[in-house]
Amino acid sequence: MNGSICPKCEKDIGVFSIMKAATPNRIKCPHCKAEVLYSNFPKLMLFLVGTFFVLSIISFIYIVRPTEFVFLIYVSLILVIGGVLEYGMAKYLRKNFELRLK
């Protein structure tokens, strides 16, 4: 399996192309602009990550009742954690799944 090489132009698509896409089926090759997607992507993974973020934001707003400063710190923390999770997910996709043309 090769989840990092574009099937059309045979160049590495890079991690940022995966991170930039909203979902794993909206990835575009930065070189030839071909739309590619990962075959057999586990949609449960996407659902769990999305659910985690929604529940964490809702729980923070309704349970903690933050001040403006605490809210800014919390949003910054969510963005950093989200970036790390997105990077890890992109590396996981590149290693374990195969790219194909859309």
Side-chain angles (χ1 to χ4, degrees), residues 56-57 59-60 69-79:
S56 66
I57 290 171
S59 68
F60 183 75
F69 180 71
V70 173
F71 184 73
L72 288 175
I73 290 173
Y74 183 75
V75 169
S76 301
L77 191 63
I78 287 291
L79 290 174

Side-chain angles (χ1 to χ4, degrees), residues 12 19 45 58 65 73 79 87 93 97:
D12 190 336
M19 291 176 68
M45 182 191 306
I58 289 172
R65 306 267 185 210
I73 290 173
L79 290 174
Y87 180 77
L93 285 172
F97 294 95

Side-chain angles (χ1 to χ4, degrees), residues 5-86:
I5 304 296
C6 174
K8 187 174 181 182
C9 67
E10 298 183 358
K11 293 183 180 177
D12 190 336
I13 63 166
V15 175
F16 186 70
S17 296
I18 301 168
M19 291 176 68
K20 188 170 65 171
T23 59
N25 61 352
R26 300 183 70 186
I27 301 168
K28 288 189 178 185
C29 174
H31 307 287
C32 66
K33 305 298 183 211
E35 292 184 356
V36 294
L37 58 97
Y38 282 98
S39 58
N40 301 327
F41 174 73
K43 291 174 181 58
L44 179 64
M45 182 191 306
L46 187 64
F47 175 75
L48 290 176
V49 170
T51 303
F52 167 74
F53 282 116
V54 170
L55 290 177
S56 66
I57 290 171
I58 289 172
S59 68
F60 183 75
I61 290 173
Y62 287 108
I63 295 172
V64 177
R65 306 267 185 210
T67 63
E68 290 179 18
F69 180 71
V70 173
F71 184 73
L72 288 175
I73 290 173
Y74 183 75
V75 169
S76 301
L77 191 63
I78 287 291
L79 290 174
V80 168
I81 291 171
V84 170
L85 284 175
E86 185 101 23

